Every structure is written in structure tokens, then in C-alpha cells.
């Protein structure tokens, strides 16, 4: 794999879309031009985005650049996680089984349900009054 050409992949979750670039390096991270500690204040989000590298036993071997848009921090973190898993998979096809076992290659289809007419929210109904 040439060092100049990064591996690119896309990950999605809820309304978030992440484009992840992976290239051999010393383990530097960039999320929208910021460090993960700066972008994701919750440690749970940072652990979540680093999961694919931990499963692939590739921590510190790649530099990761993620561009993410839309949604909230949880959706963005999971989108980066999926994009990183896909990028690692295109680097080494043998990682498919461990990544699949940990659910990192499966797109989570859940989205916010739309509000229905005649109701206050998507499924909630107004209080029923018999008299």
C-alpha cells in the first residue's frame, strides 16, 4: 500500500455521515480538524471511535482523519466507528470476522420516527376523556 494514497471509507448512523481517511502512521487522530479529546468530551464516545483499531490490533499503526457532519455526538461517534471499520476492512480482508463479531460492519437502521398528524409526538396520543 503506497503511503501517499489514504484508504477512504464512509460510515453512517442516524443522520450523521462520516468520511474516514486511514493512512500508515504513528496513531494521530483528527476529527473535523480537532483532536478527539477536544471534539468528543465524553470518554465513552472516544472509546467507541477507537474500538475498530483495538479489535484489529492496529492501535498506533495508522493515522486517522475523520470528517463528520449531521446529527449529534453519539451518532457522529458511531458513524466514525463504522467508517473506520470499513477502512480497516479494505486494508485487510482478514479482519472481516472480528469486526463483524463486534457489530462494527452492520449499519444501524434506527432513525427518529416522524411526527404524525393529530398526535403530539410520533406515537403519543392526547389524553382520553370519557366524560
Amino acid at each position: 500500500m503506497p503511503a501517499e494514497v489514504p484508504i477512504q471509507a464512509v460510515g453512517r448512523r442516524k443522520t450523521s455521515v462520516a468520511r474516514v481517511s486511514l493512512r500508515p502512521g504513528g496513531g494521530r487522530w483528527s476529527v473535523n480538524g480537532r483532536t478527539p479529546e477536544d471534539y468528543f468530551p465524553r470518554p465513552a464516545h472516544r472509546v467507541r471511535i477507537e474500538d475498530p483499531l483495538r479489535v484489529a490490533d492496529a492501535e498506533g499503526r495508522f493515522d486517522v482523519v475523520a470528517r463528520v457532519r449531521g446529527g449529534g455526538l453519539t451518532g457522529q461517534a458511531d458513524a466514525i466507528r463504522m467508517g473506520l471499520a470499513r477502512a480497516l476492512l479494505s486494508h485487510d480482508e482478514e479482519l472481516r470476522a472480528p469486526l463483524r463479531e463486534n457489530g462494527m460492519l452492520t449499519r444501524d437502521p434506527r432513525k427518529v420516527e416522524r411526527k404524525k398528524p393529530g398526535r403530539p409526538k410520533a406515537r403519543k396520543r392526547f389524553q382520553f376523556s370519557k366524560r
Side-chain angles (χ1 to χ4, degrees), residues 44-100:
H45 290 151
R46 293 194 296 270
V47 167
R48 198 115 170 109
I49 65 173
E50 294 168 359
D51 271 348
L53 290 174
R54 199 169 300 115
V55 168
D57 197 29
E59 291 175 292
R61 290 181 22 212
F62 293 101
D63 289 342
V64 180
V65 178
R67 302 291 308 236
V68 62
R69 296 181 63 161
L73 290 180
T74 298
Q76 289 185 351
D78 285 347
I80 292 172
R81 178 180 190 241
M82 181 182 199
L84 182 55
R86 285 179 169 177
L88 285 168
L89 184 64
S90 49
H91 169 70
D92 184 8
E93 190 64 32
E94 292 179 7
L95 295 174
R96 182 177 295 275
L99 290 173
R100 170 82 53 205

Side-chain angles (χ1 to χ4, degrees), residues 8 17-18 37 42-44 51 79 84 96 104 106 112 114 121 123 130:
Q8 295 184 337
V17 180
E37 292 78 21
R42 292 185 189 163
D51 271 348
L84 182 55
R96 182 177 295 275
M104 295 179 194
T106 304
V112 176
R114 77 174 193 87
K121 291 174 25 178
R123 295 188 179 214
K130 197 167 191 176

